[in-house]
Amino acid sequence: MGKPEFVVDRERLEVVQTQELDAPRERVWELMTDPELIPQWWGPAVMKTTVEKMDVREGGSWRYIHRDPEGQEHVFSGEYFVVRPPEYMEHSMAYENMPGDVMHETTTLEELPGGGTRLVIRSRFQSPEVCDDAVGSGMEEGATESLVRFEELLKKQG
């Protein structure tokens, strides 16, 4: 429905991603929480994503492995704190290649008039340095590409 929005708020130590999608929020939720579909949209297309673990429930955890074209692994993991289908989830995200920096992320799915969904992802960081490192690492490009790929998958899945 439009280009994903990516806003960095260094004062609040957060990044907010917003995307309006032409699909009901129940469908958006299903695609976001289906471990079989995650590799089709999560992360840059040049990476091969493997879902090693994805237990979407309060107290559950997740772990994804990205492999770049040279075979190097980039591992992301976290724990689910709040899960309220189909409207809200809250979890941690750690980049295991750089231990110690854990991001807190919330995902909200808002129903729009006409049956669409507004997806809002808020990523909060522990310090200005961690926020700057994440944004400087290409977070915007990767996150935007993921949301574009997610929207394409929604259209293909119907």
Side-chain angles (χ1 to χ4, degrees), residues 108-129:
T108 305
L109 302 175
E110 303 169 13
E111 289 182 321
L112 296 174
T117 302
R118 177 178 295 114
L119 167 65
V120 180
I121 301 169
R122 292 185 177 278
S123 305
R124 291 194 178 94
F125 300 90
Q126 296 174 336
S127 70
E129 295 77 24

Side-chain angles (χ1 to χ4, degrees), residues 15 26 59 65 95 104 111-112 115 129 140 145 147 149:
V15 169
E26 290 80 7
I65 302 169
Y95 178 48
H104 188 90
E111 289 182 321
L112 296 174
E129 295 77 24
E140 180 173 4
E145 182 178 345
L147 289 176
R149 293 176 65 207

Side-chain angles (χ1 to χ4, degrees), residues 7-72:
V7 177
V8 178
D9 184 340
R10 283 184 173 80
E11 201 168 288
R12 295 184 61 163
L13 301 178
E14 75 176 10
V15 169
V16 181
Q17 303 164 63
T18 306
Q19 173 73 337
E20 291 190 1
L21 301 162
D22 190 19
R25 76 177 176 173
E26 290 80 7
R27 187 68 186 133
V28 174
W29 180 272
E30 288 171 12
L31 267 64
M32 289 186 76
T33 58
D34 184 335
E36 298 294 319
L37 297 176
I38 296 294
Q40 295 182 43
W41 66 269
W42 203 83
V46 299
M47 302 271 205
K48 180 183 182 331
T49 301
T50 302
V51 176
E52 185 176 272
K53 182 178 190 179
M54 188 175 183
D55 183 10
V56 185
R57 64 177 175 81
E58 292 181 12
S61 60
W62 62 276
R63 189 168 194 259
Y64 304 164
I65 302 169
H66 278 325
R67 284 184 187 81
D68 64 24
E70 291 77 39
Q72 184 176 356

Side-chain angles (χ1 to χ4, degrees), residues 2 16 31 70 74 82-83 85 88-89 91 101 105 115 123 127 134 140 142 144 147-148 150 152 155 157:
V16 181
L31 267 64
E70 291 77 39
H74 302 271
V82 180
V83 178
Y88 183 81
M89 110 172 61
H91 64 85
D101 297 331
E105 195 164 87
S123 305
S127 70
E140 180 173 4
T144 299
L147 289 176
V148 168
F150 184 78
E152 291 170 355
K155 290 176 186 173
Q157 294 282 320

